Amino acid sequence: MDATPVWFMRQAGRFLPEYRQLRERYAMLELVQTPELAAEVTLLPMRLGVDAAILFADILLPLQAMGMDLAFVSGQGPVLGHPVQDAEDVARLRPVDVETELGYVLETVHTARQMLAGTAPLIGFAGAPFTLASYAIEGGGSRHYLRTKQLMHGRPEIWQALLDRLTDVTLAYLRAQVQAGAQAVQLFDSWAGTLSPADYRQFALPYSRRVLSGLSDLGVPRIHFATGTAGMLPLLREAGGDVISVDWRVDLRRAWDQIGHDVAIQGNLDPALLFVPQNALAQGVRHVLAQADGRPGHIFNLGHGILPETPVGNVQFVVDLVHRESAKAKGEQL
Ligand code: CP3
């Protein structure tokens, strides 16, 4: 189909009633660690007509494999026990044999590929070293990332040791996902935007670059995602990726000018627009499409994950509208 492809970050999650039903019977980690169930969840959003499936897993699973206690606490989000504070904590993190310790994810990839049977590509993913480090240090989500920044600036040798380990695991994990059948990969650096451009360049970029360049021989598209990055888009590009994800805080056209037109762009509807009346929602969608102006490298997406209470009907509305309007515009250009 000659239309702009569309899919949504966090599309396999709680906004879907089928997912919520499964969650009544299974805990989050149980779902993720049972490949048949995880593959089933991966495919749930396909009924909306999205153009890619995203693996059902979580960016924090490698931290668990490294020996950290991980729990998803309802109403609170992820919690990691005994956060990393000093050199001993880093030394305690185990090297990970991906095939065994994260083998359940690879099995999910394999099963999901079989179930998709070529109808849509499967995207694998992992957290970027900086974002993973922030969870390992803060013990969960954070508002100001104080501990993370204290360690980064105050104990740079510990920071480097931690980030080196996270980089090695992340690269091995993504390579294994591709070998298991993932047809594209996304690196989630969700909280990179909390850093100044100078700090991003020094403390985060080198590690993300090592992950992204370490995948180049595999020949799969690499999507590089972060939010709050309007002030450092060229740096994201420098870190790497065939597709750069941008959020709604920057106009898509400006973002593209800064990143360079030889790179594809994913984005950038504000996830909150899925809660507003459909005429206003349609306006938001058309604005994104107009900014992308039919360029071949545009993937329509949100600027960040889909929110849990999002009305399913509005998601369907956006998928259909993006396909219809972009196909029409492309037809007119011929
Ligand atoms: O389609 C999909 O995207 C589902 C697969 C997926 C999950 N997590 C499952 C999940 C993906 C791609 C992720 C990535 C992820 N996990 C990120 C990066 C993306 C982003 O939004 O920035 C981050 C930061 C995490 C860490 C995490 N996991 C948080 C902060 C939370 C709690 C808050 C929230 O957004 O749900 C989780 C839990 C989680 N991961 C759920 C799901 C479906 C909800 C668990 C539940 O059922 O209660």
Side-chain angles (χ1 to χ4, degrees):
M1 181 187 36
D2 200 9
T4 299
V6 50
W7 64 278
F8 301 91
M9 270 168 296
R10 311 297 297 268
Q11 68 186 14
R14 287 161 300 177
F15 87 102
L16 286 172
E18 304 96 309
Y19 177 80
R20 289 197 300 270
Q21 267 171 21
L22 278 166
R23 282 284 281 109
E24 282 170 21
R25 288 165 51 202
Y26 305 97
M28 163 69 183
L29 277 172
E30 220 177 330
L31 266 187
V32 161
Q33 293 175 344
T34 311
E36 310 85 75
L37 290 174
E40 186 186 329
V41 175
T42 301
L43 266 75
L44 288 178
M46 304 318 286
R47 71 165 162 96
L48 301 171
V50 289
D51 296 294
I54 181 151
L55 173 68
F56 183 71
D58 194 83
I59 64 163
L60 302 175
L61 299 173
L63 292 180
Q64 189 189 45
M66 293 172 93
M68 295 192 78
D69 280 333
L70 169 66
F72 291 98
V73 181
S74 81
Q76 201 185 329
V79 177
L80 291 140
H82 307 288
V84 171
Q85 289 173 335
D86 52 33
E88 289 75 58
D89 296 331
V90 176
R92 240 196 317 274
L93 295 173
R94 292 196 304 253
V96 174
D97 178 43
V98 174
E99 301 287 334
T100 53
E101 279 150 301
L102 291 162
Y104 60 89
V105 176
L106 307 180
E107 218 174 304
T108 302
V109 169
H110 187 74
T111 308
R113 272 299 300 275
Q114 280 183 333
M115 288 168 73
L116 283 162
T119 51
L122 176 66
I123 304 175
F125 71 90
F130 169 76
T131 289
L132 286 183
S134 81
Y135 280 101
I137 295 164
E138 306 285 343
S142 175
R143 199 170 156 72
H144 298 297
Y145 297 92
L146 268 185
R147 285 171 212 264
T148 305
K149 293 178 182 183
Q150 282 174 318
L151 191 88
M152 194 168 95
H153 289 283
R155 308 290 304 275
E157 71 293 348
I158 300 182
W159 176 262
Q160 197 180 334
L162 173 62
L163 275 273
D164 272 337
R165 283 187 181 229
L166 294 172
T167 301
D168 291 344
V169 173
T170 303
L171 177 56
Y173 182 44
L174 284 174
R175 289 189 68 88
Q177 289 182 32
V178 173
Q179 276 147 10
Q183 291 147 298
V185 290
Q186 176 152 338
L187 190 68
F188 280 103
D189 210 354
S190 305
W191 314 127
T194 191
L195 294 174
S196 70
D199 285 351
Y200 175 78
R201 174 187 281 289
Q202 184 178 351
F203 296 108
L205 184 153
Y207 307 99
S208 289
R209 180 160 51 202
R210 237 164 75 198
V211 173
L212 291 162
S213 67
L215 296 164
S216 58
D217 61 306
L218 297 177
V220 295
R222 297 156 296 177
I223 307 168
H224 187 180
F225 168 89
T227 65
T229 54
M232 54 189 198
L233 289 169
L235 290 178
L236 281 192
R237 167 153 200 187
E238 199 180 314
D242 306 292
V243 182
I244 304 288
S245 199
V246 297
D247 74 21
W248 62 95
R249 298 171 185 91
V250 55
D251 266 342
L252 203 63
R253 188 175 293 150
R254 257 195 78 214
W256 223 318
D257 287 344
Q258 286 186 42
I259 290 169
H261 291 262
D262 53 336
V263 174
I265 289 237
Q266 167 177 291
N268 68 343
L269 192 74
D270 180 348
L273 282 198
L274 288 163
F275 291 78
V276 308
Q278 285 189 351
N279 56 346
L281 170 58
Q283 236 178 55
V285 169
R286 289 194 178 106
H287 181 70
V288 171
L289 288 174
Q291 300 251 318
D293 198 21
R295 288 190 191 87
H298 180 223
I299 300 167
F300 192 99
N301 208 314
L302 304 176
H304 201 166
I306 200 162
L307 296 163
E309 315 291 328
T310 302
V312 179
N314 282 353
V315 180
Q316 182 71 72
F317 176 77
V318 170
V319 173
D320 295 342
L321 186 67
V322 169
H323 282 160
R324 198 172 55 241
E325 301 253 324
S326 61
K328 197 172 80 190
K330 283 174 192 179
E332 282 162 7
Q333 275 171 6
L334 291 178

